[in-house]
Amino acid sequence: MTASSATAARLPTYFISHGGGPWPWMKAEMGNTYAKLEAALADMPHQIGRKPAAVLMVSAHWEAPAFTVQAAAQPGMLYDYGGFPAHTYQVHYRSPGAPAIAARVQALLQAAGLPAAVDTERGYDHGMFSPMQAIYPQADVPVLQLSLRRGLDPAEHLALGRALAPLRDEDVLIVGSGLSYHNLRAFGPQAAAPSKAFDDWLGQTLASASAPRSQALVDWEQAPAARIAHPREEHLIPLMVAVGAAEGERAARIYHESDFMGGLSVSSYRFGAAAGDAA
């Protein structure tokens, strides 16, 4: 493959909302609550233009002392939620894992001087399997998860993304899975103003592809309503990985609602070109 064709084939990265718990299996209970999110997730394969070799999913629901990559050939399921209907503890997303790519991830992180480990036991959490049920419902693309690192340092997670960037030329899709607003104690109408303030800031910040974008994300706590939107930032930090892996590339908002759950402004983003975009 030539350098020019490799660049043309480079996959984008994503920061997506993964929604609440096992929502794809609760349509009878939730109606159209997630219809817009589901449509946006289902459109991702069209944006990518081909089936990737694997998906590397960085979920808000896994933190570890070192960046830890899931290395099982067939991960099980981790029902990391409570209070949902009994049938949601029996759902399965049966995509294969990707042990060889896990080894590649570990090597990239070690080469970048980042702490790296592997885990052959941990199953898929809902930050992975709920959105993947909408993105690839046939579960026919290998998926491996990569943890956040405890401490949730935004600069370190941007560095993680930079270290992972070569995977984009190796047909691995990098997805940060979280939420642009995550305050479970402030949903509904009371969240309308702070979620909009933070969402507006996020959109304006991500619109720039220059170096100040990354610095603004490091300093995200200075954003309007930052700590109302994210009392704890684990659902925001996967964004840093997606941005770090596509630094200098433009963002496109692929999903937005301004009245989600009765008042929330929420968004998801792609970084880098979609299939068919002009160079």
Side-chain angles (χ1 to χ4, degrees):
M1 181 179 287
T2 66
S4 60
S5 63
T7 300
R10 173 172 289 180
L11 291 172
T13 71
Y14 286 86
F15 172 65
I16 61 169
S17 168
H18 59 236
W23 61 268
W25 292 272
M26 295 179 59
K27 292 180 181 178
E29 295 89 346
M30 305 195 77
N32 291 326
T33 300
Y34 285 101
K36 289 183 179 179
L37 176 60
E38 184 172 29
L41 295 171
D43 190 57
M44 285 171 56
H46 303 287
Q47 298 172 27
I48 297 162
R50 66 182 187 278
K51 195 171 288 186
V55 175
L56 178 64
M57 181 76 75
V58 182
S59 166
H61 291 277
W62 187 13
E63 299 174 38
F67 294 118
T68 303
V69 62
Q70 190 179 47
Q74 181 61 71
M77 299 288 287
L78 179 60
Y79 303 114
D80 57 335
Y81 40 74
F84 289 92
H87 72 86
T88 65
Y89 298 88
Q90 304 297 323
V91 301
H92 291 278
Y93 188 84
R94 300 188 185 279
S95 60
I101 294 175
R104 172 68 170 145
V105 169
Q106 185 182 29
L108 286 170
L109 300 193
Q110 290 173 335
L114 295 171
V118 298
D119 187 323
T120 59
E121 301 296 328
R122 192 179 191 276
Y124 293 135
D125 64 53
H126 82 270
M128 175 279 192
F129 62 75
S130 288
M132 287 300 296
Q133 178 67 19
I135 299 168
Y136 291 114
Q138 300 304 313
D140 54 355
V141 176
V143 184
L144 65 164
Q145 290 192 225
L146 175 63
S147 78
L148 304 176
R149 190 181 183 206
R150 289 178 189 162
L152 303 177
D153 181 350
E156 189 173 45
H157 287 80
L158 281 161
L160 170 64
R162 295 182 194 112
L164 295 172
L167 295 175
R168 298 174 59 201
D169 295 316
E170 299 168 19
D171 220 25
V172 177
L173 181 68
I174 299 170
V175 179
S177 174
L179 290 167
S180 60
Y181 178 93
H182 191 256
N183 184 342
L184 299 182
R185 294 187 177 184
F187 264 49
Q190 65 175 317
S195 68
K196 183 180 187 305
F198 187 77
D199 193 71
D200 287 349
W201 172 86
L202 191 63
Q204 293 164 7
T205 298
L206 296 179
S208 170
S210 62
R213 176 173 74 180
S214 293
Q215 187 57 51
L217 292 175
V218 169
D219 299 329
W220 73 271
E221 288 179 272
Q222 299 177 22
R227 279 300 181 187
I228 300 175
H230 293 280
R232 190 174 187 274
E233 58 267 38
E234 79 286 346
H235 277 71
L236 181 67
I237 293 298
L239 168 67
M240 313 303 171
V241 185
V243 170
E247 236 167 6
E249 296 180 55
R250 68 180 184 179
R253 190 166 69 178
I254 62 164
Y255 161 71
H256 175 73
E257 294 191 59
S258 59
D259 194 27
F260 179 66
M261 292 286 189
L264 299 182
S265 291
V266 290
S267 298
S268 298
Y269 290 88
R270 185 188 71 242
F271 302 93
D277 283 359

